[in-house]
Every structure is written in C-alpha cells, then in structure tokens.
Amino acid sequence: MAGTAAARRDRTHYLYIAVIVAVILGIVVGFAAPGVAVELKPLGTGFVNLIKMMISPIIFCTIVLGIGSVRKAAKVGAVGGIALGYFTVMSLVALSIGLLVGNVLHPGDSLAVTDAIKEAGQGQVTAEAKDTVEFVLGIIPTSFVSAFTTGEVLQTLLVALLAGFALQAMGPAGRPVLRGVEHIQRLVFRILGMVMWAAPIGAFGAIAAVTGSAGLDALKSLAVLMLGFYVTCFLFVFIVLAAMLRVVAGLNILTLFKYLGREFLLILSTSSSESALPRLIAKMEHLGVSKPVVGITVPTGYSFNLDGTMIYMTMASLFIADAMGTPMSIAEQIPLLLFLLVASKGAAGVSGAGLATLAGGLQSHRPELVDGVGLIVGIDRFMSEARALTNFAGNAVATVLIGTWTKEIDKGRVDQVLAGQVPFDEKTLVDDHDPADGGDADEAAGEQPKGLPESRDADKAAARV
C-alpha cells in the first residue's frame, strides 16, 4: 500500500513540471505576440476562479471540525486574539521597512506624469473598496448560506465559527454532524485535487497576459521601483520572518519553503495568493498544526496579514509623490501610511486589491496624488507576483508561530514532515489514509492530523503517534 501511495504522489510531479513549462511558454508568447497574449487572460482568470470556488467550503469544514472537537471554547478565542495582535504588529513592521527603502531609493524622481497617465490613475479608483465601518458590517452575511455563494472569506469564517461553537456546545449529540462535515471535507479536497490538473493552462494564460500587456518599455522605465520592491520583500521574508521562525519555532525558513514549494510555484504562475489558500490549509494541518489554529489563522491572515501589500503601498505612495513633484516629509508619510493600513482591510477580496487599495486610499487621504497611480498600472501585475508571494510566506510563517505560542503544534511531526518522512498526499490533500478512517463516530468526528493534542489528552495523542 505504501508503494502504491508513493507512486500516486509521484505522478503529481509531472503536473508541476507542466506548470513550469507553461510559465516559460507564456512569457515567450507574451513578448512574441502581445496582442494574442492579452486575449489569453481568461484562461488564468478561469483557473483562479475554480480555486476560489473551493475556498469557502474548505474553510467552513476545517473550522467546524477544529472547533467542534475542542473541549474549551476559550482556546479558540485565545488563538484569534494572538493572531490579530501578531498581524497588526507585522503589518506595521512591513510598512516601516517599505518606508525606509522608499526614502533611500526615491525611484520616482526622474518620471513625468502625462494626461494619459492621469486618466489611468483616476480609473483605478474603484467603488468596490469599502471604508472601515462598511468592511466590519460586511463580515455579517445576508443569510446563513450567502457566505458560501458570495465568496466572502470573512463571512464564511464567521458562519463556521458560529457552527463550530454550536456543535461544541451540543456535545455527543453533535458528533454525527461533525462526522458528516468530515466526509464533506474529504469530498471538497478531492475536487480541489482534480481542479489542480488545470493549473498549467491557467498558468500559461495568466503569465502570457501579464507579459503581453506590460511589455519591455514599462519594465525598463520602472525597473528601479520594481527592483527596490522585490529586494524589500526579500529582506522582509528572509530577515524578519526567518528570524521570527527561528527564534520562536526553531525552524529554518528555507526548509519550510521547500515543503511549500508547489504552492509558491502556483502563486508565481497565477499572480494570486488565493490560488494556494486551500493547499496552505491542508499542508499546515499535515505539518502538525492543529485544525483550530490553521482554520482561524489562515483565512483571517488572508485579509489582515498582507505584508507584501503593506510594503507595496508604502513604496508606491512615496514613488508617486516623488514623480508628481510633491515629495512628502516623514511627518506627512506616517499618517498616510497608517491610513492605508486601515484602508487595506476595506479592500480585502477586491480584485487587484493592491492597486485598488492604493488608489482608493489616496483618493480619500491625498486626492492630489491619485493621478500618479497611472504610472504603475503597467507594472502592477509584475509587482503583484512579489506581493502575493510575500503575503503567502507571511501567512505560512504566522500559522507556525501562532501554533507554537498556543502550544497547538506537534513539533515531532513537524520535524518528520519537513524531513520528508511523512509525505503529503497530493491526490487527496487530506490524511484519509489515517487509521482513524472508518472508526467510530467519536474518533472520526474529532480526527486530527497525527499527534495533535487539542481534542485529546497528551497520553492519547502520544499513543497515536
């Protein structure tokens, strides 16, 4: 059986080799035939939409199973409080780093703003972005099922939390429901595994469209901003996040990223961190982080822990101010960036959220700078690659850190998984080869990745390992 499982997993390597080939072909087509390449954009959009279709049911099942099998509701509240506190601090750190690099580089000094650029900038102000009050009220869905039909992650999170706490309060009477949710989770992950085979097509369309629409001229003229942004994101990930991961969890960030390599490739090829959200949930559970921590940290982080977006908004704001001939002093920069920090939460889930947030925030706080947003429209999709990768890296690290702080992580299993001793099942995306499969209702309802202690005492958890 073990050999058969390994063979099945090995077949997925061809899928990701195909993704790499598709990315290369997309770049070639983008430069060779830009007009044709732009028309291929629906291929990438369609694939990302297929992934987004799976996000709400996966989040719902993960949180309901995690909370429903936890004995103390206070534990869930502690996880949420620690997560939000951490997200706020790291957002401020990301803003500060972007502020420092932006003030050193001054990449917008040599550019001029034309009428066409002004029109492009004004066109980025979207009505979709919400202010903070609307954003908070928007977390409440219109009905119990509308959270699943609208695709709002935070609405799904709220419904799942309520359902999980209700099932927890029901005790033994809720176990059949939990077991049913568990079977639905297996079905949803199986569907996701099928959808993933369309990744090469989506990657080809997305990369071709991005390359064809921007072209070499935009890349050359704005290379300083792009390079500065990439370097800043790199420093944030491999200095700030790496240090946090090493000090708190004792892990090497490169080892963790190697484990998440396929997710990074998927994000790179689609320019969307959401495309890897369901897989991040599955892989963090497999790694040894408890379901409540994964279920709360990952979905919340996708709205509140956008480190790459914070860096982007900082550097882009300074770039635009310099290009418009109205450079900002530090005293002017800080209020604007704090405002953008809050405004970014109102644009969570908006398509092209980075650019939309920047334009909407400037429109509200510094409207005279909105015209300059047109300067970065051409390269925004290239910068969105680094935004998405940094956001994903920040949420992966946050899940491990919060699991460590709340003692909801099995460090022995983490070492085994990162060493390659417990391979991730690419076919199912869940541990449905777990011995608990087919057991009694109590065991199946509270099933967790091997060795996790949140719904059992330590001795019983150890026995399963």
Side-chain angles (χ1 to χ4, degrees), residues 67-68 70-71 73 162-174:
I67 296 176
V70 171
R71 290 174 180 167
L162 293 174
F165 284 125
L167 286 170
Q168 182 187 66
M170 290 171 65

Side-chain angles (χ1 to χ4, degrees), residues 48 90 131 175 245 251 292 310 345 350-351 414:
V48 173
M90 294 310 292
D131 61 32
R175 288 173 186 161
L245 190 63
L251 297 178
M310 295 297 104
K345 313 312 177 196
V350 176
S351 178
V414 171

Side-chain angles (χ1 to χ4, degrees), residues 110-139:
S110 59
L111 293 177
V113 180
T114 64
D115 290 338
I117 288 175
K118 291 179 180 180
E119 291 178 7
Q122 292 290 342
Q124 298 306 311
V125 180
T126 173
E128 290 183 78
K130 308 169 186 175
D131 61 32
T132 305
V133 175
E134 291 176 328
F135 170 67
V136 173
L137 292 176
I139 296 175

Side-chain angles (χ1 to χ4, degrees), residues 390-446:
T390 305
N391 290 342
F392 179 83
N395 284 311
V397 170
T399 306
V400 176
L401 294 180
I402 293 168
T404 303
W405 283 324
T406 57
K407 296 181 172 57
E408 291 290 314
I409 187 170
D410 182 352
K411 294 186 178 180
R413 183 176 174 89
V414 171
D415 293 337
Q416 289 181 324
V417 170
L418 294 183
Q421 298 172 6
V422 186
F424 179 72
D425 192 337
E426 290 285 348
K427 181 178 180 181
T428 64
L429 300 180
V430 293
D431 292 329
D432 65 357
H433 54 280
D434 194 305
D437 187 38
D440 58 61
D442 186 9
E443 182 71 9

Side-chain angles (χ1 to χ4, degrees), residues 288-364:
V289 184
S290 72
K291 283 194 175 186
V293 170
V294 174
I296 293 172
T297 304
V298 175
T300 308
Y302 264 69
S303 291
F304 290 94
N305 189 38
L306 305 177
D307 299 325
T309 303
M310 295 297 104
I311 295 172
Y312 167 82
M313 290 196 299
T314 305
M315 296 189 66
S317 299
L318 299 181
F319 169 82
I320 290 169
D322 289 343
M324 296 289 289
T326 56
M328 294 184 287
S329 65
I330 295 295
E332 294 174 313
Q333 293 171 17
I334 293 177
L336 171 62
L337 296 175
L338 291 177
F339 175 82
L340 289 173
L341 172 64
V342 176
S344 66
K345 313 312 177 196
V350 176
S351 178
L355 197 59
T357 302
L358 177 65
L362 291 177
Q363 176 69 27
S364 301

